[in-house]
Amino acid sequence: MKKIYIAGCGGMLGEAFYRQFSTEYDLKCTDKDVNVNWLSFLDFRDLDAYRKDVHAFKPDYLFHLGAYTDLEFCELNADDTYNTNTLSVENAVYIANELGIPLLYISTAGIFDGKKELYDDWDVPNPLGVYARSKYMGERYVVEHANRYLVCRAGWMMGSGPSKDKKFIQKLMKQIKDGKKELFIVDDKDGTPTYTQDFAKNVKLLLENEVWGLYNMVCGGQTSRKEVASYLLELLGLENKISIKSVTSEYFSKEYFAMRPPNERLINKKLDLRGLNIMRDWKIALKEYLEDYYQGYLD
Ligand SMILES: NC(=O)c1ccc[n+]([C@@H]2O[C@H](COP(=O)([O-])OP(=O)(O)OC[C@H]3O[C@@H](n4cnc5c(N)ncnc54)[C@H](OP(=O)(O)O)[C@@H]3O)[C@@H](O)[C@H]2O)c1
């Protein structure tokens, strides 16, 4: 079995990577939040500890998944964010190059400024806030310095269910569970959802084909926060019981004060051209996500 060291594997995406890779690869999964029994502790900001742990495992690949993903926290804690989201990626590049192994880094659709309608893999990013800048600088470091790499850009992440999903779907599911009869949804944000399980499978396909490089990797179909919320209610059979109140981002500006692009829709141009795009339509993925992770949640 080939070996993979996965750093920052305790979150939404880490759960999917563990699921998709653990039967065919020998994994060492670490995080600073050791929340399940297949994780051990590693803070990847600590270069010596990171280097020692990875070297000792002698992996065939290094996956650097973790980051701070709360945009408001990042705005308020810029230095910690650059240490965590950018310098730790430099650490990962040093280690992967020392061992002569490929590195996987996860970037984000949020590095664009939203002035275009659709971004392909070759569009030039223009990050707006601390989180976006920290991720883009990580991306650039990998592209400019890693000997062999995959940089995969995700969009609006959904996955891992109530215990780990920190994003839009779980925020809505929580409000529904709490009995809310009206959901306030912004009508000025467009993007592309990304199901963590599809994402991990598509990374596996790239890895096994050894087609190194930078890829957009989002679900099919461009959409908006409002359409995702409407479709979620429809899938739950609650469209006649819960209503959606359209608001602009200004409505949430105290709670969500970090700058976000009005549009972060990606298209998987390079995956399409290589014939390796197995990301499904977001509606199919959302349906499966609810069936797999939310059975009984609203009972
Ligand atoms: N979530 C999204 O919508 C989204 C969209 C596009 C791209 N991405 C990227 O996808 C990747 C995975 O994100 P995710 O959605 O799985 O986020 P997540 O659920 O927040 O998981 C990230 C994990 O990284 C850990 N981590 C943070 N700092 C660390 C450190 N110094 N050492 C070790 N572990 C550390 C976190 O621990 P703590 O919880 O203790 O901080 C957390 O367990 C990230 O690179 C993110 O930027 C995410």
Side-chain angles (χ1 to χ4, degrees):
M1 265 192 180
K2 288 205 167 176
K3 292 159 79 169
I4 310 176
Y5 187 104
I6 312 184
C9 196
M12 290 173 69
L13 196 57
E15 186 268 349
F17 272 76
Y18 183 76
R19 214 197 240 205
Q20 297 300 336
F21 282 85
S22 58
T23 52
E24 292 169 57
Y25 291 83
D26 183 7
L27 304 182
K28 172 145 188 174
C29 303
T30 61
D31 201 286
K32 75 173 170 42
D33 176 14
V34 181
N35 51 50
V36 281
N37 61 12
W38 44 263
L39 283 171
S40 57
F41 181 83
L42 188 276
D43 182 334
F44 49 54
R45 289 170 296 193
D46 181 344
L47 173 58
D48 289 343
Y50 196 4
R51 179 179 272 139
K52 220 169 140 190
D53 214 35
V54 180
H55 277 251
F57 187 59
K58 300 190 177 64
D60 297 286
Y61 307 100
L62 174 59
F63 288 4
H64 188 92
L65 294 196
Y68 284 143
T69 55
D70 179 324
L71 274 63
E72 278 63 41
F73 176 90
C74 292
E75 285 301 315
L76 296 174
N77 300 276
D79 283 357
D80 192 8
T81 298
Y82 288 120
N83 257 325
T84 301
N85 292 4
T86 317
L87 297 196
S88 76
V89 183
E90 301 189 3
N91 294 347
V93 172
Y94 306 153
I95 297 166
N97 285 351
E98 283 159 18
L99 292 172
I101 59 173
L103 172 69
L104 168 73
Y105 169 69
I106 314 300
S107 190
T108 168
I111 58 179
F112 294 102
D113 58 16
K115 290 185 180 152
K116 274 189 74 177
E117 275 185 21
L118 198 57
Y119 292 93
D120 73 18
D121 316 60
W122 300 300
D123 279 309
V124 179
N126 181 28
L128 298 179
V130 172
Y131 171 74
R133 190 159 180 261
S134 72
K135 293 296 297 179
Y136 180 47
M137 292 306 144
E139 178 183 300
R140 280 189 49 183
Y141 197 84
V142 174
V143 170
E144 289 164 16
H145 299 281
N147 293 337
R148 276 180 299 162
Y149 63 83
L150 288 173
V151 170
C152 298
R153 293 181 182 141
W156 293 339
M157 204 79 91
M158 52 186 196
S160 79
S163 63
K164 290 194 177 186
D165 188 333
K166 307 175 179 81
K167 295 291 172 168
F168 191 59
I169 298 298
Q170 172 56 20
K171 284 179 183 167
L172 296 186
M173 291 299 284
K174 169 90 174 45
Q175 291 180 51
I176 295 168
K177 190 177 169 62
D178 290 346
K180 293 264 161 48
K181 294 289 168 239
E182 192 175 39
L183 302 177
F184 286 72
I185 308 290
V186 295
D187 59 9
D188 55 4
K189 290 282 182 283
D190 296 334
T192 29
T194 304
Y195 187 33
T196 53
Q197 301 295 337
D198 285 34
F199 187 90
K201 281 186 197 161
N202 217 143
V203 166
K204 194 153 160 271
L205 188 65
L206 291 183
L207 191 87
E208 289 169 355
N209 279 276
E210 302 195 338
V211 281
W212 314 116
L214 182 149
Y215 294 89
N216 286 356
M217 194 177 277
V218 295
C219 278
Q222 290 99 41
T223 186
S224 61
R225 290 292 189 201
K226 205 172 152 203
E227 192 189 9
V228 173
S230 303
Y231 192 60
L232 178 71
L233 290 180
E234 199 182 313
L235 285 173
L236 297 168
L238 295 172
E239 68 273 33
N240 297 323
K241 297 197 176 126
I242 298 177
S243 63
I244 287 182
K245 167 108 176 119
S246 284
V247 293
T248 65
S249 298
E250 182 57 29
Y251 179 85
F252 288 112
S253 60
K254 279 218 173 82
E255 196 182 341
Y256 297 117
F257 51 83
M259 281 237 279
R260 288 167 171 81
N263 172 34
E264 44 186 298
R265 289 173 170 175
L266 300 189
I267 184 169
N268 303 338
K269 173 72 86 190
K270 283 181 61 188
L271 289 178
D272 282 337
L273 292 175
R274 285 199 183 277
L276 294 174
N277 186 6
I278 56 167
M279 300 297 289
R280 295 171 300 171
D281 188 273
W282 70 269
K283 288 189 172 177
I284 295 168
L286 178 56
K287 182 167 182 290
E288 186 179 293
Y289 178 36
L290 295 181
E291 286 164 1
D292 281 4
Y293 287 87
Y294 284 95
Q295 291 290 343
Y297 178 76
L298 297 176
D299 297 348

